[in-house]
Amino acid sequence: MSTDITPSSNEPVVQEFPSPTPPPRKISRRKVIALAGTGTLVLVVGAGIWRAADQGVFSTGEGPAYEPWDDWRTTTKGPLDLVRAAILAANPHNSQPWLFHVTQTQIDLFADYRRNLGPVDPFLYEMHIGLGCALENLLLAATANGYITQVTLLPDAADATLVARIGLTRGNVPVSDLYPFIPQRHTNRYPYDTGRPVTSATLDAFSALGDDPDVKVFWFASTDMRQRVGTLLVDAANAFVADKAQDGVDTGIWWRGTWQDIQQRRDGITLDAAGLPDLTRALGKMLPSVSVAQQDSSFLQNTADQVKTAGAFGFLTVRNRQDRKQQLGVGRLWARMQLWATKEGLAMQPLNQATERASREVVLGSTPHFGTSLQTLVGDPAWLTLLSFRVGYSTHEGLRSPRRAVSDVVKP
Ligand SMILES: Cc1cc2nc3c(=O)[nH]c(=O)nc-3n(C[C@H](O)[C@H](O)[C@H](O)COP(=O)(O)O)c2cc1C
């Protein structure tokens, strides 16, 4: 459409004569409305830009809450450098349930029970998976920083919060090629590219990253199996939303709805990391608040899109679900898998609502619908699911989630 507004050459030219006394300047009603409209528009646009800036629309992934992704290699030439890598690990709901006690020769990794997910993770399985992820990052960083490590899991029978003791001595060991990808790894909740299948060779390469005899990955890659797992995850998402105790954890306790909240608390779930289209994400950030109903419907819609575009699903399973060491083992493998995926240009996302529902069924004493369905899919009673996820080729880079500073997670 043309936007040219120059008058055409045959436009009549009206000559104007000055009045003897200039009349008071009259502004027509229409003009007043037009001007008011312009003013309002200027105000609205101005307020919109102000609100957009205030809510971080133009600063995605920036500010103090995101600095740990940039300064992770700032070195103190000591063990604290390993903590910088550990805190960038995946963890449930970005609750960052960790504390570190650091000396020159040892790091103790503690679970911070205050940061539990309540009815979403009543047995702290997910918390310990997240701690396993942090441990793996820490160990990858140890070799890169010239340390030989000696790891003891749960070294103190009297203190269950002390999940790992890592002894450090100076020495040279080969550095893993996964290490540089620590700050590039992000949970990717965008739709995946359905035109690029994930080959069985790729799935085998993922499986080969595991070295713990108590942890095993089961793959669901055929159209039929993806359909079955996808349906289960969508059903679980619906059951999750319908259960106000679980839903409130996502939409209330761990939801960070404003830019100020994110920058101050530096944890939790954010709109930026939700995998929404860029425009929806920007508009969502500008809204004064997103209602619980909007959050729920967006979560359900997202889940439906996410399962539809999965290249494959995987279940990380263990022999004994209650065993903390095995939960940590799942975390360690998940960390390696996600880093390897990042290196290979693949995207990954846990979709763990079915196991969250299975735990909830145990708490409520209700019929184990999701527990049984997970078991049926695995098809081997020796292996129990702790983490379900999808993998595929990304259509959009995964965005950063906030992180607390190292100083906030180091115990005196
Ligand atoms: C045990 C565990 C369970 C998780 N469950 C889900 C999930 O069900 N859905 C999801 O979108 N992300 C899930 N995540 C991903 C976390 O929300 C994510 O790691 C966290 O918000 C930090 O973001 P980042 O991984 O991009 O650094 C899970 C992560 C872990 C470790």
Side-chain angles (χ1 to χ4, degrees), residues 111-392:
D112 186 347
Y113 285 0
R114 294 167 301 179
R115 304 182 76 81
N116 74 81
L117 300 183
V120 171
D121 185 27
F123 308 117
L124 309 183
Y125 298 161
E126 293 195 351
M127 176 183 278
H128 286 83
I129 296 172
L131 289 162
C133 295
L135 174 61
E136 188 61 25
N137 272 16
L138 192 151
L139 296 175
L140 291 170
T143 53
N145 283 274
Y147 290 103
I148 298 170
T149 55
Q150 187 173 5
V151 182
T152 317
L153 298 180
L154 299 155
D156 183 352
D159 184 0
T161 66
L162 177 53
V163 297
R165 171 158 289 163
I166 302 108
L168 303 169
T169 44
R170 283 287 180 190
N172 281 330
V173 262
V175 179
S176 164
D177 59 355
L178 299 180
Y179 168 71
F181 294 92
I182 287 176
Q184 288 165 39
R185 178 216 61 84
H186 303 295
T187 299
N188 191 319
R189 299 184 178 86
Y190 287 95
Y192 296 165
D193 185 350
T194 49
R196 276 185 85 183
V198 180
T199 64
S200 54
T202 299
L203 300 183
D204 290 344
F206 271 118
S207 301
L209 295 166
D211 57 5
D212 183 337
D214 291 326
V215 179
K216 181 171 175 177
V217 59
F218 285 79
W219 294 109
F220 305 92
S222 68
T223 309
D224 174 48
M225 290 314 285
R226 277 186 285 136
Q227 175 86 33
R228 280 178 62 189
V229 175
T231 303
L232 180 73
L233 295 177
V234 168
D235 288 351
N238 277 289
F240 188 102
V241 162
D243 180 338
K244 290 305 154 209
Q246 279 198 323
D247 195 43
V249 173
D250 280 27
T251 57
I253 300 169
W254 289 99
W255 173 249
R256 302 292 172 253
T258 67
W259 193 241
Q260 290 70 22
D261 209 12
I262 292 168
Q263 295 296 347
Q264 266 164 28
R265 303 178 72 167
R266 302 171 62 148
D267 60 8
I269 306 167
T270 66
L271 206 65
D272 273 336
L276 298 168
D278 287 345
L279 186 61
T280 314
R281 192 166 60 79
L283 292 174
K285 282 166 81 173
M286 286 170 69
L287 289 175
S289 67
V290 184
S291 71
V292 169
Q294 282 166 329
Q295 285 180 62
D296 286 345
S297 89
S298 165
F299 168 59
L300 293 176
Q301 183 58 54
N302 254 6
T303 305
D305 293 343
Q306 287 159 352
V307 303
K308 251 189 274 161
T309 66
F313 291 103
F315 288 2
L316 280 168
T317 66
V318 289
R319 294 180 193 277
N320 176 0
R321 219 183 341 235
Q322 279 87 37
D323 187 321
R324 294 283 187 233
K325 289 185 185 171
Q326 296 185 20
Q327 295 158 19
L328 292 166
V330 167
R332 291 189 64 180
L333 180 53
W334 177 247
R336 278 202 294 279
M337 287 172 104
Q338 252 195 324
L339 290 171
W340 188 78
T342 308
K343 177 169 159 278
E344 299 295 316
L346 284 145
M348 295 183 106
Q349 179 198 7
L351 283 156
N352 215 28
Q353 52 266 42
T355 52
E356 290 166 353
R357 286 308 298 165
S359 290
R360 186 83 174 130
E361 289 166 347
V362 174
V363 169
L364 297 176
S366 51
T367 311
H369 167 68
F370 289 102
T372 309
S373 302
L374 286 167
Q375 206 52 63
T376 307
L377 282 164
V378 169
D380 181 347
W383 294 98
L384 304 155
T385 303
L386 272 183
L387 188 71
S388 52
F389 62 89
R390 69 176 176 135
V391 57

